[in-house]
Amino acid sequence: MIRVMLVDDHALVRMGFRMLLADAQVEVVAEVDSGEQACIDYPRVKPDVVVMDLSMPGMGGLEAVRRLIAQDPKARVLVLSAHEDTAHPRRVLRAGALGYLTKRSAPDALIAAVTAVAAHEAYVDPLTARALAMAQVTGETSPAETLSEREFSVFLQLARGLSVAQIADNLKLSPSTVGTHLYHIKQKLSASNQSELTLIALQWGLIQV
């Protein structure tokens, strides 16, 4: 039986996933509501697969993926996301996740994805895979592709309206470091303030209202 840790800040979503996975003989051995708690509990739980939501308060799912892989390079992470852009799956897979699945996927896709990731196989849902392939062909990428991994994490939090102090606390960085990232982000994206960063993120589907 595959042992899964569910990481999502919505209890109803976790309950739905748990019921769905139980029908497929997958055991949910832990449920947590933040990336921070996932990083704390992972060494004790040692799940076969971590099913990670991307959009959560605090450090968020992308940063949590990076930290879990840093803790355990063999960690098998499947990211579930409401985002349908190409920047998020690129960053997630680059960070070390084995799978990416949009929340609009059919229920049986979750089971297929968990099964594949548990077997150390990569899994990307067909719509996301097609979007990534088309972006490769057309060369169309979001402006955020110019950002480093750390800048991208800071950018997403800035775009959601968080302050420099809040971001520093979430990502365990000094405020001055976040300020430096903010400066570089605005330069790279040709934005003059935080509101313009939010607009860029919305236009490219990197955050949701």
Side-chain angles (χ1 to χ4, degrees):
M1 184 173 282
I2 300 170
R3 302 171 67 257
V4 165
M5 171 189 278
L6 290 179
V7 187
D8 194 296
D9 59 318
H10 294 103
L12 281 175
V13 172
R14 296 197 308 270
M15 180 177 71
F17 288 155
R18 184 174 67 249
M19 293 171 64
L20 180 62
L21 292 170
D23 290 340
Q25 301 301 304
V26 176
E27 182 185 7
V28 175
V29 293
E31 292 183 36
V32 297
D33 61 3
S34 69
E36 288 86 344
Q37 196 60 48
C39 292
I40 292 169
D41 289 358
Y42 177 84
R44 174 181 57 80
V45 177
K46 292 185 173 62
D48 297 317
V49 178
V50 178
V51 177
M52 177 83 69
D53 183 33
L54 268 193
S55 299
M56 296 182 289
M59 72 167 67
L62 179 56
E63 183 67 19
V65 170
R66 291 197 188 105
R67 296 191 184 192
L68 282 176
I69 299 300
Q71 277 186 39
D72 178 9
K74 295 181 180 179
R76 287 164 284 179
V77 183
L78 168 66
V79 167
L80 276 172
S81 174
H83 299 285
E84 297 182 12
D85 60 286
T86 56
H88 278 95
R90 276 200 189 101
R91 300 275 178 172
V92 160
L93 297 171
R94 204 179 295 158
L98 271 176
Y100 189 94
L101 185 69
T102 64
K103 287 187 174 180
R104 287 180 59 186
S105 300
D108 58 354
L110 174 63
I111 297 165
V114 167
T115 303
V117 171
H120 299 274
E121 297 171 3
Y123 185 99
V124 177
D125 69 85
L127 284 177
T128 300
R130 191 175 304 124
L132 289 169
M134 286 303 298
Q136 190 82 12
V137 170
T138 62
E140 182 181 355
T141 57
S142 80
E145 286 298 315
T146 63
L147 304 179
S148 71
E149 302 301 329
R150 177 58 73 205
E151 287 167 351
F152 186 73
S153 293
V154 172
F155 165 62
L156 290 180
Q157 303 221 0
L158 286 166
R160 293 189 182 106
L162 274 68
S163 68
V164 168
Q166 289 172 314
I167 296 168
D169 184 56
N170 287 341
L171 300 181
K172 301 298 180 283
L173 301 171
S174 70
S176 62
T177 298
V178 175
T180 300
H181 287 315
L182 171 57
Y183 173 78
H184 290 145
I185 291 164
K186 289 195 294 187
Q187 291 290 309
K188 289 181 177 182
L189 300 184
S190 300
S192 58
N193 54 49
Q194 194 167 1
S195 296
E196 290 183 10
L197 293 176
T198 299
L199 184 59
I200 291 168
L202 285 170
Q203 287 173 336
W204 285 87
L206 301 173
I207 60 171
Q208 296 175 317
V209 179

